[in-house]
């Protein structure tokens, strides 16, 4: 079911979104060659909790359920390096010069969710890598620009796909954007490619997480034996950007910004 949020509820989501944006800015400042992905995760969790939030990925089983055990996501943020697309598990791995590192952050503040991601190039990246990262961000912004009342979900998808095709990138299809609110994943799904359906009409009060994932190779992905880490099947590099937005009568408002 698609929910439309009131102005007061969008205010609440703005608070969660701000915490997500603050964590991404914090991590960006700490992302140097030699740091471990686990260090970034600890910083992120500390900031989320100090802000009165809960890290929404920790203990996540999928499908809106939480628990313990090997199937539960063990960390507060996802850190996905190079050919890892999304859902990388932070740990002892040391980040090196020239790698690309995608950080995905989810926070719950007073029951409302924010969800955002960015891909960073560590130090100097090769031109084609910088271009991949730039195009993925541009696709997210194009998708957001299409999120206006009267358009349809499929218009967001088409705007993202057009940027990906223009650059000749692999456009990941197995993972898609989503509605968001009192749960991290709500209806509708927001694919990053044309599905053949225009989808539902966008209306003020709808909140969406828009999150393209592009690769330097093919679009196929696989899940690693750790149950979570999604990698490109051909080993090519991948980038991921995500903002949580609210659709207002004036157009889209990015909630995961400071
Ligand atoms: Mg998301």
């Amino acid at each position: 079911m698609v929910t439309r949020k009131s102005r007061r509820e969008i205010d609440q989501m703005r608070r969660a979104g701000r915490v997500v944006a603050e964590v991404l800015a914090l991590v960006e400042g700490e992302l140097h060659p030699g740091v471990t992905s686990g260090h970034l995760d600890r910083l992120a969790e500390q900031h989320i909790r100090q802000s009165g939030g809960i890290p929404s990925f920790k203990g996540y089983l999928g499908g809106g359920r939480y628990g313990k055990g090997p199937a539960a996501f063990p960390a507060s943020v996802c850190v996905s390096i190079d050919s890892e697309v999304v859902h990388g598990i932070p740990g002892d791995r040391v980040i090196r010069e020239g790698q690309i590192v995608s950080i995905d952050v989810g926070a719950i503040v007073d029951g409302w969710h924010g969800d955002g991601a960015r891909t960073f190039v560590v130090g100097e990246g090769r031109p084609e890598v910088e271009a991949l990262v730039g195009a993925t961000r541009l696709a997210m912004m194009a998708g957001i620009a299409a999120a206006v009342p009267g358009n349809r979900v499929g218009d967001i998808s088409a705007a993202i796909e057009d940027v990906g095709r223009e650059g000749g990138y692999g456009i990941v299809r197995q993972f898609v954007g989503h509605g968001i609110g009192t749960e991290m994943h709500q209806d509708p799904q927001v694919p990053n490619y044309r599905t053949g359906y225009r989808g539902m009409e966008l209306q003020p009060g709808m909140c969406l997480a828009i999150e393209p994932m592009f690769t330097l190779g093919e679009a196929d992905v696989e899940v690693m034996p750790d149950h979570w880490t999604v990698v490109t099947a051909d080993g090519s590099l991948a980038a991921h950007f995500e903002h949580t937005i609210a659709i207002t009568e004036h157009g889209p408002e990015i909630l995961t910004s400071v």
Side-chain angles (χ1 to χ4, degrees):
M1 193 190 71
V2 176
T3 59
R4 293 176 61 182
K5 282 79 173 174
S6 68
R7 232 168 251 200
R8 195 185 57 76
E9 290 170 335
I10 290 173
D11 265 342
Q12 298 268 32
M13 290 195 58
R14 212 175 270 126
R15 292 172 57 215
R18 174 176 281 271
V19 172
V20 168
E22 287 169 355
V23 169
L24 286 167
L26 182 70
V27 165
E28 181 179 22
E30 287 284 326
L31 188 52
H32 307 296
V35 304
T36 64
S37 53
H39 171 68
L40 303 176
D41 180 60
R42 285 187 290 277
L43 280 177
E45 176 164 7
Q46 191 177 40
H47 185 80
I48 292 169
R49 295 198 189 277
Q50 277 172 356
S51 308
I54 299 166
S56 45
F57 300 166
K58 202 163 202 177
Y60 194 64
L61 291 167
R65 294 173 305 117
Y66 286 86
K68 290 196 185 334
F73 193 77
S76 293
V77 297
C78 304
V79 181
S80 308
I81 302 172
D82 286 344
S83 62
E84 297 171 356
V85 185
V86 286
H87 304 167
I89 298 174
D92 298 337
R93 270 171 80 187
V94 175
I95 292 165
R96 299 192 311 269
E97 173 86 21
Q99 287 187 314
I100 52 172
V101 180
S102 305
I103 314 276
D104 197 339
V105 181
I108 312 167
V109 176
D110 293 336
W112 293 90
H113 285 253
D115 192 1
R118 287 166 65 186
T119 297
F120 302 100
V121 182
V122 182
E124 198 88 354
R126 287 181 287 131
E128 66 265 35
V129 176
E130 299 274 4
L132 165 72
V133 172
T136 312
R137 182 178 179 282
L138 183 67
M140 173 187 68
M141 295 311 290
I144 292 171
V148 296
N151 263 0
R152 291 178 176 267
V153 169
D155 295 314
I156 299 173
S157 306
I160 291 170
E161 181 182 343
D162 285 347
V163 175
R165 280 182 179 274
E166 168 91 32
Y169 298 113
I171 303 169
V172 174
R173 298 169 75 93
Q174 275 96 325
F175 296 89
V176 297
H178 48 93
I180 181 168
T182 51
E183 288 186 81
M184 180 157 51
H185 297 121
Q186 298 183 325
D187 289 336
Q189 292 201 338
V190 186
N192 296 312
Y193 54 90
R194 288 174 178 82
T195 61
Y197 298 96
R198 288 196 68 207
M200 68 166 53
E201 188 178 325
L202 302 173
Q203 297 178 357
M206 287 173 63
C207 291
L208 304 173
I210 295 178
E211 51 174 326
M213 296 150 219
F214 290 171
T215 81
L216 274 182
E218 300 301 320
D220 299 323
V221 296
E222 292 168 357
V223 179
M224 299 290 280
D226 66 14
H227 304 286
W228 284 103
T229 311
V230 175
V231 296
T232 55
D234 61 5
S236 61
L237 300 182
H240 174 217
F241 280 81
E242 176 177 28
H243 268 312
T244 297
I245 66 154
I247 296 171
T248 76
E249 52 269 46
H250 309 295
E253 180 191 334
I254 294 174
L255 302 179
T256 37
S257 66
V258 281

